[in-house]
Coordinates of all heavy atoms in Angstrom, one line a residue:
M1 N 40.4 10.1 -11.6 CA 39.1 9.3 -11.8 C 38.2 9.4 -10.7 O 38.7 9.2 -9.6 CB 39.4 7.8 -12.1 CG 40.1 7.8 -13.5 SD 40.6 6.0 -13.8 CE 39.0 5.5 -14.3
S2 N 36.9 9.5 -10.9 CA 36.0 9.5 -9.9 C 35.2 8.3 -9.8 O 34.8 7.8 -11.0 CB 35.1 10.8 -10.1 OG 34.3 10.7 -11.3
K3 N 34.9 7.9 -8.7 CA 34.1 6.7 -8.6 C 32.7 6.9 -8.3 O 32.4 7.7 -7.4 CB 34.8 5.8 -7.5 CG 34.4 4.2 -7.5 CD 35.1 3.7 -6.4 CE 34.9 2.1 -6.4 NZ 35.6 1.4 -5.3
T4 N 31.9 6.6 -9.2 CA 30.4 6.9 -9.0 C 29.7 5.7 -8.4 O 29.8 4.5 -8.9 CB 29.7 7.3 -10.2 OG1 30.0 6.4 -11.3 CG2 30.2 8.7 -10.6
T5 N 29.1 5.9 -7.3 CA 28.3 4.9 -6.7 C 26.7 5.0 -7.2 O 26.1 6.0 -6.8 CB 28.3 4.8 -5.3 OG1 28.2 6.1 -4.8 CG2 29.7 4.2 -4.9
A6 N 26.2 4.3 -7.9 CA 24.8 4.3 -8.4 C 23.9 3.9 -7.2 O 24.0 2.7 -6.9 CB 24.6 3.6 -9.6
A7 N 23.0 4.8 -6.8 CA 22.2 4.5 -5.7 C 20.9 4.0 -6.5 O 19.8 4.7 -6.5 CB 21.9 5.6 -4.9
N8 N 21.0 2.8 -6.8 CA 19.7 2.2 -7.4 C 18.9 1.5 -6.3 O 19.0 0.3 -6.2 CB 20.0 1.3 -8.5 CG 20.6 2.1 -9.7 OD1 20.2 3.3 -9.9 ND2 21.5 1.4 -10.5
R9 N 18.3 2.4 -5.7 CA 17.5 1.8 -4.5 C 16.1 1.5 -5.0 O 15.2 2.3 -5.4 CB 17.3 2.7 -3.3 CG 18.7 2.9 -2.6 CD 18.5 3.6 -1.4 NE 17.6 3.0 -0.4 CZ 17.3 3.5 0.9 NH1 17.6 4.6 1.1 NH2 16.5 2.8 1.6
V10 N 15.8 0.2 -5.1 CA 14.4 -0.2 -5.5 C 13.5 -0.5 -4.4 O 13.9 -1.3 -3.5 CB 14.6 -1.5 -6.4 CG1 13.1 -1.9 -6.8 CG2 15.3 -1.2 -7.5
F11 N 12.5 0.3 -4.3 CA 11.6 0.1 -3.1 C 10.5 -0.9 -3.3 O 9.5 -0.6 -4.2 CB 11.0 1.5 -2.8 CG 11.9 2.4 -2.3 CD1 12.5 3.3 -2.9 CD2 12.2 2.4 -0.9 CE1 13.4 4.3 -2.4 CE2 13.0 3.3 -0.3 CZ 13.7 4.1 -1.0
T12 N 10.6 -2.1 -3.0 CA 9.7 -3.1 -3.2 C 8.9 -3.2 -1.9 O 8.9 -4.0 -1.0 CB 10.4 -4.4 -3.5 OG1 11.3 -4.8 -2.4 CG2 10.9 -4.5 -4.8
E13 N 8.0 -2.2 -2.0 CA 7.1 -2.2 -0.8 C 6.3 -3.5 -0.6 O 5.4 -3.7 -1.6 CB 6.1 -0.9 -1.0 CG 5.2 -0.7 0.2 CD 5.7 0.1 1.3 OE1 6.6 1.0 1.1 OE2 5.3 0.0 2.4
P14 N 6.2 -4.1 0.6 CA 5.4 -5.2 0.6 C 3.9 -4.7 0.7 O 3.6 -3.9 1.4 CB 5.7 -5.8 2.0 CG 7.1 -5.1 2.3 CD 7.1 -3.9 1.7
G15 N 3.1 -5.4 -0.1 CA 1.7 -4.9 -0.1 C 1.4 -4.2 -1.3 O 0.1 -4.1 -1.7
Y16 N 2.2 -3.5 -2.0 CA 2.1 -2.7 -3.1 C 1.7 -3.6 -4.2 O 2.4 -4.6 -4.6 CB 3.3 -1.7 -3.4 CG 2.8 -0.8 -4.5 CD1 2.0 0.3 -4.3 CD2 3.2 -1.0 -5.8 CE1 1.7 1.2 -5.3 CE2 3.0 -0.2 -6.8 CZ 2.0 0.9 -6.6 OH 1.8 1.8 -7.6
G17 N 0.6 -3.2 -5.0 CA 0.3 -4.1 -6.0 C -0.6 -5.4 -5.4 O -1.0 -6.2 -6.4
W18 N -1.0 -5.3 -4.3 CA -1.8 -6.3 -3.6 C -3.1 -5.6 -3.0 O -2.9 -4.7 -2.3 CB -1.0 -7.0 -2.5 CG -1.7 -8.1 -1.7 CD1 -2.3 -7.9 -0.6 CD2 -1.9 -9.5 -2.3 NE1 -3.0 -9.1 -0.3 CE2 -2.6 -10.0 -1.3 CE3 -1.4 -10.1 -3.3 CZ2 -2.9 -11.4 -1.3 CZ3 -1.7 -11.5 -3.4 CH2 -2.4 -12.2 -2.4
C19 N -4.3 -6.2 -3.2 CA -5.3 -5.8 -2.6 C -5.8 -6.6 -1.4 O -5.8 -7.8 -1.6 CB -6.5 -5.8 -3.7 SG -8.2 -5.4 -3.0
H20 N -5.8 -6.0 -0.2 CA -6.2 -6.7 1.0 C -7.6 -7.1 1.0 O -7.9 -7.7 1.9 CB -5.7 -5.9 2.1 CG -4.2 -5.8 2.3 ND1 -3.4 -5.0 1.6 CD2 -3.4 -6.5 3.1 CE1 -2.1 -5.1 1.9 NE2 -2.0 -6.1 2.7
W21 N -8.4 -6.4 0.3 CA -9.8 -6.7 0.5 C -10.3 -7.8 -0.5 O -11.0 -8.8 0.1 CB -10.6 -5.4 -0.1 CG -10.9 -4.6 1.2 CD1 -11.9 -4.3 1.9 CD2 -9.9 -3.6 1.8 NE1 -11.8 -3.5 2.9 CE2 -10.5 -3.0 2.8 CE3 -8.6 -3.3 1.5 CZ2 -9.9 -2.0 3.7 CZ3 -7.9 -2.3 2.2 CH2 -8.6 -1.7 3.3
H22 N -9.8 -8.1 -1.7 CA -10.2 -9.3 -2.4 C -9.0 -10.3 -2.3 O -9.1 -11.3 -2.8 CB -10.7 -9.0 -3.8 CG -9.5 -8.6 -4.7 ND1 -9.3 -7.3 -5.2 CD2 -8.6 -9.4 -5.4 CE1 -8.3 -7.3 -6.0 NE2 -7.9 -8.6 -6.2
K23 N -8.1 -9.8 -1.6 CA -6.9 -10.8 -1.3 C -6.3 -11.3 -2.7 O -6.2 -12.5 -2.9 CB -7.2 -11.8 -0.4 CG -7.4 -11.4 0.8 CD -7.7 -12.6 2.0 CE -7.8 -12.1 3.3 NZ -8.7 -11.0 3.6
G24 N -6.0 -10.3 -3.5 CA -5.3 -10.6 -4.8 C -4.4 -9.5 -5.4 O -4.5 -8.4 -4.8
T25 N -3.7 -9.9 -6.3 CA -2.9 -8.8 -6.9 C -3.6 -7.8 -7.6 O -4.8 -8.1 -8.2 CB -1.8 -9.4 -7.8 OG1 -2.4 -10.2 -8.8 CG2 -0.9 -10.3 -7.1
S26 N -3.1 -6.6 -7.7 CA -3.9 -5.5 -8.5 C -3.0 -4.5 -9.0 O -2.1 -4.1 -8.4 CB -5.0 -5.0 -7.6 OG -5.5 -4.0 -8.2
G27 N -3.2 -4.0 -10.1 CA -2.5 -2.9 -10.7 C -2.9 -1.5 -10.2 O -2.3 -0.5 -10.4
T28 N -4.1 -1.5 -9.6 CA -4.7 -0.2 -9.2 C -4.8 -0.1 -7.7 O -5.4 0.9 -7.2 CB -6.1 -0.1 -9.7 OG1 -6.9 -1.1 -9.3 CG2 -6.1 -0.2 -11.3
A29 N -4.0 -0.9 -7.0 CA -4.1 -0.9 -5.4 C -3.4 0.5 -5.0 O -2.2 0.8 -5.4 CB -3.5 -2.0 -4.9
V30 N -4.2 1.1 -4.1 CA -3.6 2.2 -3.3 C -3.6 1.9 -1.9 O -4.4 1.3 -1.4 CB -4.2 3.5 -3.8 CG1 -4.0 3.9 -5.3 CG2 -5.6 3.5 -3.5
L31 N -2.9 2.8 -1.1 CA -2.8 2.7 0.3 C -4.0 3.3 1.0 O -4.5 4.3 0.6 CB -1.5 3.6 0.8 CG -1.3 3.4 2.4 CD1 -1.1 2.0 2.9 CD2 -0.3 4.4 2.8
I32 N -4.7 2.5 1.8 CA -5.9 2.8 2.3 C -5.8 3.2 3.8 O -6.3 4.1 4.3 CB -7.0 1.7 2.2 CG1 -7.3 1.4 0.7 CG2 -8.3 2.0 2.9 CD1 -7.9 2.6 0.0
N33 N -5.1 2.3 4.4 CA -5.0 2.4 5.9 C -3.7 1.9 6.4 O -3.1 0.9 5.9 CB -6.0 1.6 6.5 CG -6.4 2.0 8.0 OD1 -5.9 2.9 8.5 ND2 -6.8 1.1 8.7
V34 N -3.2 2.5 7.4 CA -2.0 2.1 8.1 C -2.2 1.7 9.5 O -2.9 2.5 10.2 CB -0.9 3.3 8.2 CG1 0.4 2.6 8.9 CG2 -0.5 3.7 6.7
V35 N -2.1 0.3 9.7 CA -2.7 -0.2 11.0 C -1.3 -0.3 11.9 O -0.3 -0.8 11.7 CB -3.3 -1.6 10.7 CG1 -3.5 -2.2 12.0 CG2 -4.4 -1.6 9.8
E36 N -1.5 0.4 13.0 CA -0.3 0.3 14.0 C -0.8 -0.6 15.2 O -1.8 -0.5 15.8 CB -0.2 1.8 14.6 CG 0.4 2.7 13.4 CD 0.7 4.1 14.0 OE1 0.8 4.2 15.4 OE2 0.8 5.0 13.3
Q37 N 0.2 -1.5 15.3 CA 0.0 -2.5 16.3 C 0.9 -2.0 17.6 O 1.8 -1.6 17.6 CB 0.4 -3.8 15.7 CG -0.5 -4.3 14.7 CD 0.0 -5.6 14.0 OE1 1.2 -5.8 13.7 NE2 -0.9 -6.6 13.9
A38 N 0.2 -2.5 18.7 CA 1.0 -2.1 20.0 C 2.2 -2.9 20.1 O 3.2 -2.3 20.6 CB 0.0 -2.5 21.1
S39 N 2.1 -4.1 19.6 CA 3.5 -4.9 19.7 C 3.9 -5.3 18.2 O 3.0 -5.7 17.6 CB 3.3 -6.1 20.5 OG 2.3 -6.9 19.9
G40 N 5.2 -5.0 17.9 CA 5.6 -5.5 16.7 C 5.2 -4.3 15.6 O 4.5 -3.4 15.9
P41 N 5.7 -4.4 14.3 CA 5.6 -3.4 13.3 C 4.1 -3.4 12.8 O 3.4 -4.5 12.8 CB 6.5 -3.8 12.3 CG 6.7 -5.3 12.5 CD 6.5 -5.6 13.9
G42 N 3.6 -2.3 12.5 CA 2.3 -2.1 12.0 C 2.4 -2.8 10.5 O 3.4 -3.1 10.0
Y43 N 1.2 -2.6 9.9 CA 1.1 -3.1 8.4 C 0.2 -2.1 7.7 O -0.6 -1.2 8.2 CB 0.7 -4.6 8.2 CG -0.7 -4.8 8.8 CD1 -1.8 -4.7 8.1 CD2 -0.9 -5.1 10.2 CE1 -3.1 -5.0 8.5 CE2 -2.1 -5.4 10.7 CZ -3.2 -5.3 9.8 OH -4.5 -5.5 10.3
R44 N 0.3 -2.2 6.3 CA -0.5 -1.4 5.6 C -1.6 -2.2 4.8 O -1.2 -3.3 4.4 CB 0.5 -0.6 4.5 CG 1.4 0.2 5.3 CD 2.5 0.8 4.4 NE 3.4 1.8 5.2 CZ 4.1 2.7 4.7 NH1 4.0 2.8 3.3 NH2 4.8 3.5 5.5
Q45 N -2.7 -1.5 4.5 CA -3.8 -2.1 3.8 C -3.9 -1.3 2.5 O -4.0 -0.2 2.5 CB -5.0 -2.0 4.6 CG -5.0 -3.0 5.9 CD -6.3 -2.9 6.6 OE1 -6.8 -1.8 6.9 NE2 -6.8 -4.1 6.9
Y46 N -3.9 -2.1 1.4 CA -4.1 -1.6 0.1 C -5.4 -2.0 -0.5 O -5.8 -3.2 -0.2 CB -2.9 -2.0 -0.8 CG -1.6 -1.5 -0.5 CD1 -0.7 -1.9 0.6 CD2 -1.2 -0.3 -1.1 CE1 0.4 -1.3 0.8 CE2 0.1 0.4 -0.8 CZ 0.8 -0.2 0.2 OH 2.0 0.5 0.6
A47 N -6.0 -1.2 -1.2 CA -7.3 -1.6 -2.0 C -7.2 -1.2 -3.5 O -6.7 -0.1 -3.7 CB -8.5 -1.0 -1.4
C48 N -7.8 -2.1 -4.3 CA -7.7 -1.8 -5.7 C -9.0 -1.0 -6.1 O -9.8 -0.8 -5.1 CB -7.8 -3.1 -6.6 SG -9.3 -4.1 -6.4
A49 N -9.0 -0.5 -7.3 CA -10.1 0.4 -7.7 C -11.5 -0.1 -7.5 O -12.4 0.5 -6.9 CB -9.9 0.9 -9.0
P50 N -11.9 -1.3 -8.0 CA -13.2 -1.9 -7.7 C -13.5 -2.2 -6.4 O -14.7 -1.9 -6.0 CB -13.1 -3.3 -8.5 CG -11.9 -3.1 -9.5 CD -10.9 -2.1 -8.7
C51 N -12.6 -2.7 -5.5 CA -12.9 -2.7 -4.1 C -13.1 -1.4 -3.4 O -14.0 -1.1 -2.5 CB -11.8 -3.5 -3.4 SG -11.8 -5.2 -3.7
R52 N -12.4 -0.3 -3.7 CA -12.6 1.0 -3.2 C -14.1 1.4 -3.6 O -14.7 2.0 -2.7 CB -11.6 1.9 -3.7 CG -10.3 1.7 -3.2 CD -9.3 2.9 -3.4 NE -9.3 3.4 -4.7 CZ -8.5 3.2 -5.6 NH1 -7.5 2.2 -5.5 NH2 -8.5 3.7 -6.8
E53 N -14.4 1.2 -4.7 CA -15.8 1.6 -5.3 C -16.8 0.9 -4.5 O -17.9 1.5 -4.0 CB -15.9 1.5 -6.7 CG -16.8 2.4 -7.5 CD -16.7 2.3 -9.0 OE1 -15.6 2.7 -9.6 OE2 -17.6 1.7 -9.6
Q54 N -16.7 -0.5 -4.3 CA -17.7 -1.2 -3.8 C -17.8 -0.8 -2.4 O -19.0 -1.0 -1.8 CB -17.4 -2.7 -4.0 CG -17.6 -3.2 -5.3 CD -17.2 -4.6 -5.6 OE1 -17.0 -5.4 -4.6 NE2 -17.0 -5.0 -6.7
R55 N -16.8 -0.6 -1.7 CA -16.9 -0.6 -0.2 C -16.7 0.9 0.2 O -16.6 1.2 1.5 CB -15.7 -1.5 0.4 CG -15.9 -3.0 0.1 CD -14.6 -3.6 0.1 NE -14.8 -5.0 -0.3 CZ -15.1 -6.0 0.4 NH1 -15.4 -6.0 1.6 NH2 -15.2 -7.2 -0.3
G56 N -16.6 1.8 -0.6 CA -16.5 3.1 -0.4 C -15.2 3.6 0.4 O -15.2 4.4 1.3
L57 N -14.1 3.0 0.0 CA -12.9 3.2 0.6 C -12.2 4.4 0.0 O -12.4 4.7 -1.1 CB -12.0 2.0 0.5 CG -12.5 0.6 1.1 CD1 -11.7 -0.4 0.6 CD2 -12.5 0.7 2.7
V58 N -11.5 5.1 0.9 CA -10.8 6.3 0.3 C -9.4 6.2 0.6 O -8.9 5.6 1.7 CB -11.4 7.6 0.9 CG1 -12.7 8.0 0.5 CG2 -11.3 7.5 2.5
P59 N -8.4 6.6 -0.3 CA -7.0 6.5 0.1 C -6.6 7.1 1.3 O -7.2 8.1 1.7 CB -6.5 7.2 -1.3 CG -7.5 7.2 -2.3 CD -8.8 7.3 -1.6
Y60 N -5.5 6.6 1.8 CA -5.0 7.1 3.0 C -4.7 8.5 3.0 O -4.1 8.9 2.1 CB -3.8 6.2 3.4 CG -3.2 6.5 4.8 CD1 -3.9 6.0 5.9 CD2 -2.0 7.1 5.0 CE1 -3.4 6.3 7.2 CE2 -1.6 7.5 6.2 CZ -2.2 7.0 7.3 OH -1.7 7.3 8.5
G61 N -5.1 9.3 4.0 CA -4.9 10.7 4.0 C -5.9 11.6 3.4 O -5.8 12.8 3.5
T62 N -6.9 10.9 2.8 CA -8.0 11.6 2.0 C -9.1 11.7 3.0 O -9.6 10.7 3.5 CB -8.2 10.9 0.7 OG1 -7.1 10.8 -0.1 CG2 -9.3 11.7 0.0
K63 N -9.6 12.9 3.2 CA -10.7 13.0 4.0 C -12.0 12.8 3.2 O -12.1 13.1 2.0 CB -10.8 14.4 4.5 CG -9.8 14.8 5.6 CD -10.0 16.0 6.5 CE -8.9 16.1 7.6 NZ -9.3 17.3 8.5
R64 N -13.0 12.2 3.8 CA -14.3 11.9 3.3 C -15.0 13.2 3.0 O -15.1 14.0 3.8 CB -15.2 11.0 4.2 CG -14.5 9.5 4.1 CD -15.4 8.7 5.1 NE -14.7 7.4 5.2 CZ -14.8 6.4 4.5 NH1 -15.7 6.2 3.5 NH2 -14.3 5.2 4.9
Ligands
ZN101 ZN1 -9.7 -5.5 -4.5

């Protein structure tokens, strides 16, 4: 008999589904910026579609 270990790793990325610009939940939020701090772990900024449109934000890694 073989023992199978189901690797059900659920990635609950903090910040995903959250818009940092209007500070609310969003289903269209994408990663905009990765902020690296000198001390402590950095954090990620997500923005939803309307906020990206209004503020001209582009997804992280996308060149203008
Ligand atoms: Zn937003």
Side-chain angles (χ1 to χ4, degrees):
M1 288 179 76
S2 62
K3 199 175 183 180
T4 51
T5 47
N8 290 330
R9 293 189 63 187
V10 179
F11 290 95
T12 48
E13 179 88 24
Y16 187 77
W18 179 268
C19 175
H20 287 79
W21 270 259
H22 75 256
K23 291 180 168 60
T25 53
S26 173
T28 58
V30 296
L31 182 63
I32 298 297
N33 192 26
V34 177
V35 180
E36 291 184 18
Q37 295 175 316
S39 61
Y43 60 96
R44 295 170 178 205
Q45 292 179 308
Y46 293 81
C48 66
C51 285
R52 290 201 307 272
E53 207 167 293
Q54 286 173 19
R55 294 154 196 267
L57 301 167
V58 291
Y60 185 72
T62 306
K63 291 195 173 184
R64 287 176 194 267

